[in-house]
């Protein structure tokens, strides 16, 4: 087999591994994301529990970077403290290393089981939670399969005459090997994928243990760079935790590399095989960084704050987020197709603002102050302004001669804009009042009650994104799925209300105190979902899929 074919097979196997890792992570985020976020918020006040929760979350998401970004956003919102956030990230790094350990075992039998079970679950139901569970199973099966493919693809490299020369070079130049591993990890955006690739190659005898450990340290450097780069345009509060992680893990990898190259300790104690030695070195490094990070947490936090403040202009010349450029070009009114395209662009911006409001409101139920409340109310003012401008613009456009399709599209955009304005009003005039009531009374939901609310909200938010997509794509299949979700949420509301009344019957003090807020919030979210679903009715009517009262059966 030629070298180019070997590299092609290896590239395909690595690509499958990256895709499978992302598939598992997105499945977990969509199915259990809100529950995981709630758990993380609830345990961040205890340093020990912050480490444990960060570890568990990284194992579930198969990504320490995802946890770092999540914790950084919490720190930026004031939900968690910066030092507690850094400890959670330390735990996440250990969780990421443990995932590599788990996947290093012989899991061949999982491939057919996970692929068959996951595909069956995904195709057998329309329930989002079950479909995402099926996605997770398929992702796990593909991940294990990709590891087998990497092993098989790299087998011919044993007989390569060039590879020993390359390995010898990197063994004699560990700094280059260290930086190459860091670059590889940054390109993968996954330390798990990078270490698994090293382990697979080491299992075929292609990488010696000393070089493998040097490259594992490089992987940790590359992984620590990803989150700061992804958050470089975020507010300063969000960037503190990723920068702190870079200081600890990135600088720590360089310090350990220096010690390793200076002392040249034996590596046999790390395991009986080269893959075990590489994996255990990866775990040991992150445990060392955790132990060192506990006494240094306050110092690293202050240093990361100083770095972020140094890199942030004290008084930017103009706040970019306040700039609003309208797409409603008056000169395009004489060409209805262009005018409708401009109006669509502006409605999409309204969709984006409403999505921000809908995303933010559930966070305020847990942590809010007057500044947060005013900021959300200001977004509703923006929606109102754009709503009025779009209506006036489209009214001017209708004066011109339009085709039947253009007239229908015009009415569709006006209807969508009206419904988006109503959604904004519900969030600000109803749900924001519930937030203020909860804040003033220092009330807390029961764990079951909060799980119901956050799950219901997650479904409505997912439906909002579907509705916004249909507004652009006009895809009948997605529109039909959204209307079917409306029926599912109706059943969900009944179950949630029934569970709430059962808790009231049992005399739960928290349920009694928050009863009206709980039930009113469910009602408001259901009303928002109905408005969003009605945005796609014109698409269904155009395709003949909507009767006078409900979807036609297929």
């Amino acid at each position: 087999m030629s070298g180019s074919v070997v590299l092609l097979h290896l590239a395909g196997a690595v690509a499958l591994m990256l895709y499978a890792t992302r598939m598992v992570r997105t499945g977990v985020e969509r199915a259990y994301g809100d529950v995981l976020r709630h758990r993380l918020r609830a345990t961040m006040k205890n340093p020990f529990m912050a480490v444990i929760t960060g570890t568990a979350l990284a194992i579930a998401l198969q990504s320490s970077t995802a946890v770092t970004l999540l914790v950084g956003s919490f720190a930026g919102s004031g939900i968690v403290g910066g030092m507690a956030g850094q400890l959670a990230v330390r735990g996440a790094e250990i969780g990421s290393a443990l995932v590599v350990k788990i996947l290093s075992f012989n899991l061949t039998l999982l491939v057919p089981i996970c692929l068959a079970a996951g595909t069956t679950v995904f195709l057998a139901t329309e329930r989002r939670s079950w479909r995402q569970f099926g996605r997770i199973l398929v992702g796990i099966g593909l991940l294990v399969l990709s590891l087998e493919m990497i092993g098989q693809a790299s087998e011919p490299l044993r007989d390569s005459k060039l590879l020993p020369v390359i390995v010898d070079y990197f063994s004699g130049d560990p700094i280059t090997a260290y930086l190459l591993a860091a670059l590889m990890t940054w390109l993968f955006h996954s330390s798990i994928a990078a270490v698994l690739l090293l382990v697979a190659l080491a299992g075929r005898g292609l990488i010696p243990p000393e070089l493998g450990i040097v490259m594992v340290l490089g992987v940790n450097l590359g992984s620590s760079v990803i989150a700061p780069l992804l958050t470089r345009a975020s507010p300063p509060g969000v960037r503190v935790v990723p920068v702190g992680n870079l200081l600890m893990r990135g600088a720590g990898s360089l310090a350990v590399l220096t010690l390793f190259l200076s002392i040249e300790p034996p590596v046999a104690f790390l395991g009986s095989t080269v893959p075990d030695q590489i994996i255990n070195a990866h775990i040991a490094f992150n445990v060392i960084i955790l132990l060192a990070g506990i006494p240094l947490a306050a110092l690293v936090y202050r240093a990361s704050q100083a770095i972020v403040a140094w890199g942030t202009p004290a008084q930017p010349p103009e706040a970019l987020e306040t700039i609003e450029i309208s797409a409603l070009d008056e000169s395009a009114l004489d060409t209805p197709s262009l005018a409708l395209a401009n109006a669509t662009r502006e409605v999409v911006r309204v969709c984006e603002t409403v999505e921000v409001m809908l995303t933010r409101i559930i966070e305020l139920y847990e942590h809010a102050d007057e500044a947060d409340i005013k900021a959300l109310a200001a977004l509703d003012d923006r929606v109102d302004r754009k709503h009025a401008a779009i209506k006036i613009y489209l009214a001017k456009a209708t004066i011109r001669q339009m085709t039947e399709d253009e007239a229908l599209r015009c009415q569709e955009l006006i209807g969508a804009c009206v419904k988006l304005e109503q959604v904004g009003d519900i969030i600000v005039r109803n749900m924001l009042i519930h937030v203020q009531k909860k804040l003033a009374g220092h009330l807390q939901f029961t764990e079951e009650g909060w799980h119901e609310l956050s799950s219901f909200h997650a479904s409505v938010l997912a439906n909002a994104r579907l509705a916004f997509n249909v507004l652009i794509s006009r895809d009948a299949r997605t529109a039909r799925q959204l209307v079917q979700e409306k029926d599912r949420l109706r059943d969900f509301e009944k179950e949630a209300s029934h569970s709430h009344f059962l808790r009231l019957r049992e005399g739960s003090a928290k349920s009694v105190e928050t009863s009206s807020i709980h039930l009113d919030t469910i009602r408001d979210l259901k009303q928002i979902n109905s408005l969003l679903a009605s945005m796609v009715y014109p698409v269904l009517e155009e395709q003949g899929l909507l009767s006078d009262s409900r979807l036609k059966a297929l």
Side-chain angles (χ1 to χ4, degrees):
M1 186 181 295
S2 65
S4 58
V5 174
V6 171
L7 292 177
L8 181 61
H9 280 279
L10 187 59
V14 171
L16 179 61
M17 178 172 61
L18 294 174
Y19 176 76
T21 303
R22 180 179 178 84
M23 191 174 185
V24 174
R25 181 170 70 251
T26 55
V28 172
E29 288 175 344
R30 293 174 184 176
Y32 313 109
D34 289 295
V35 176
L36 294 175
R37 292 184 184 92
H38 175 60
R39 293 288 186 185
L40 183 60
R41 293 175 185 174
T43 57
M44 288 294 285
K45 295 181 180 179
N46 185 318
F48 176 76
M49 289 304 299
V51 173
I52 297 298
T53 305
T55 301
L57 202 57
I59 293 174
L61 295 175
Q62 295 201 348
S63 172
S64 59
T65 300
V67 179
T68 303
L69 295 174
L70 181 61
V71 173
S73 68
F74 287 167
S77 301
I79 296 174
V80 302
M83 287 187 289
Q86 290 188 45
L87 292 176
V89 172
R90 299 276 69 75
E93 306 296 358
I94 294 177
S96 177
L98 291 177
V99 170
V100 177
K101 185 67 175 179
I102 294 170
L103 293 174
S104 68
F105 297 120
N106 186 1
L107 305 175
T108 305
L109 189 60
L110 281 181
V111 175
I113 294 175
C114 288
L115 291 178
T119 303
T120 301
V121 171
F122 187 85
L123 297 177
T125 179
E126 291 296 326
R127 294 191 61 177
R128 180 179 286 109
S129 59
W130 280 103
R131 287 173 68 87
Q132 296 307 323
F133 180 66
R135 180 191 297 270
I136 294 169
L137 290 178
V138 171
I140 293 173
L142 292 178
L143 182 57
V144 177
L145 178 62
S146 69
L147 297 177
E148 295 180 15
M149 291 175 61
I150 290 174
Q152 294 170 2
S154 59
E155 185 67 26
L157 294 176
R158 290 181 181 225
D159 302 324
S160 171
K161 296 180 180 180
L162 179 61
L163 187 62
V165 177
I166 297 175
V167 171
D168 289 341
Y169 172 78
F170 283 123
S171 296
D173 187 0
I175 301 301
T176 301
Y178 171 78
L179 295 176
L180 178 63
L183 177 62
M184 177 181 68
T185 305
W186 178 78
L187 291 174
F188 286 177
H189 269 43
S190 171
S191 61
I192 293 176
V195 177
L196 285 174
L197 179 59
L198 293 177
V199 169
L201 296 176
R204 292 297 189 274
L206 303 176
I207 298 179
E210 293 79 8
L211 178 59
I213 292 174
V214 168
M215 297 190 76
V216 157
L217 294 174
V219 166
N220 283 277
L221 171 65
S223 180
S224 67
V225 172
I226 298 171
L229 289 178
L230 292 177
T231 58
R232 62 187 181 277
S234 301
V238 176
R239 294 159 53 201
V240 171
V241 169
V243 169
N245 183 45
L246 176 60
L247 289 178
M248 280 300 301
R249 196 179 182 200
S253 70
L254 187 58
V256 173
L257 175 67
T258 303
L259 288 173
F260 182 75
L261 296 178
S262 302
I263 301 174
E264 296 184 355
V267 298
F269 72 95
L270 290 172
S272 58
T273 65
V274 177
D276 286 340
Q277 291 167 359
I278 293 176
I279 293 171
N280 293 335
H282 184 44
I283 296 174
F285 169 78
N286 284 287
V287 171
I288 291 172
I289 295 300
L290 169 63
L291 296 177
I294 293 174
L296 294 175
L299 177 62
V300 172
Y301 180 59
R302 288 195 296 270
S304 56
Q305 281 184 312
I307 292 173
V308 170
W310 177 71
T312 304
Q315 290 184 343
E318 188 173 8
L320 293 179
E321 64 270 16
T322 63
I323 298 177
E324 293 185 33
I325 301 176
S326 176
L328 305 178
D329 183 5
E330 296 282 338
S331 64
L333 287 173
D334 290 330
T335 308
S337 60
L338 290 179
L340 291 174
N342 290 337
T344 301
R345 286 174 54 196
E346 201 69 5
V347 173
V348 168
R349 290 175 178 171
V350 177
C351 291
E352 293 171 350
T353 304
V354 169
E355 183 176 348
V356 171
M357 295 174 66
L358 190 56
T359 302
R360 183 63 177 145
I361 187 63
I362 199 67
E363 298 174 1
L364 298 187
Y365 271 74
E366 282 202 298
H367 178 86
D369 54 32
E370 289 302 322
D372 295 328
I373 292 172
K374 290 180 180 178
L376 192 63
L379 290 180
D380 185 52
D381 293 337
R382 182 189 301 178
V383 170
D384 290 342
R385 290 195 304 272
K386 287 187 175 293
H387 167 236
I390 292 169
K391 285 197 302 184
I392 293 172
Y393 185 79
L394 289 176
K396 293 178 180 178
T398 56
I399 299 175
R400 279 72 174 177
Q401 186 67 30
M402 286 186 172
T403 66
E404 183 179 352
D405 289 341
E406 289 172 342
L408 290 174
R409 180 60 172 171
C410 183
Q411 291 301 317
E412 181 182 350
L413 290 174
I414 292 175
C417 208
V418 169
K419 293 176 178 67
L420 290 170
E421 193 264 345
Q422 291 173 338
V423 169
D425 287 344
I426 293 172
I427 293 174
V428 171
R429 298 179 184 178
N430 294 357
M431 298 182 72
L432 207 53
I433 299 300
H434 306 331
V435 168
Q436 293 173 313
K437 181 178 178 181
K438 181 176 178 293
L439 181 64
H442 303 286
L443 305 177
Q444 294 293 329
F445 292 110
T446 62
E447 185 173 346
E448 297 84 357
W450 176 248
H451 174 67
E452 290 169 358
L453 285 181
S454 59
S455 297
F456 200 91
H457 171 269
S459 296
V460 174
L461 181 59
N463 290 345
R465 290 164 179 161
L466 287 178
F468 301 157
N469 289 339
V470 172
L471 186 65
I472 304 301
S473 68
R474 299 183 56 77
D475 179 59
R477 181 178 179 183
T478 306
R480 181 178 177 84
Q481 178 186 347
L482 181 58
V483 176
Q484 289 172 333
E485 281 292 310
K486 180 180 177 182
D487 294 334
R488 188 184 70 83
L489 275 185
R490 186 185 301 115
D491 296 334
F492 191 169
E493 180 209 12
K494 293 178 181 178
E495 294 174 5
S497 299
H498 179 68
S499 299
H500 178 71
F501 283 118
L502 286 179
R503 291 193 295 274
L504 288 177
R505 187 184 304 171
E506 294 169 357
S508 172
K510 288 184 178 180
S511 293
V512 173
E513 293 172 346
T514 60
S515 179
S516 62
I517 298 177
H518 184 282
L519 294 176
D520 289 346
T521 299
I522 292 288
R523 179 204 63 200
D524 293 334
L525 288 173
K526 180 186 175 185
Q527 187 176 356
I528 288 173
N529 190 76
S530 297
L531 288 168
L532 295 170
S534 65
M535 285 174 56
V536 306
Y537 286 172
V539 176
L540 294 172
E541 289 175 351
E542 184 179 293
Q543 298 292 326
L545 296 174
L546 195 69
S547 63
D548 292 337
S549 60
R550 59 180 300 171
L551 282 170
K552 289 182 179 179
L554 293 181

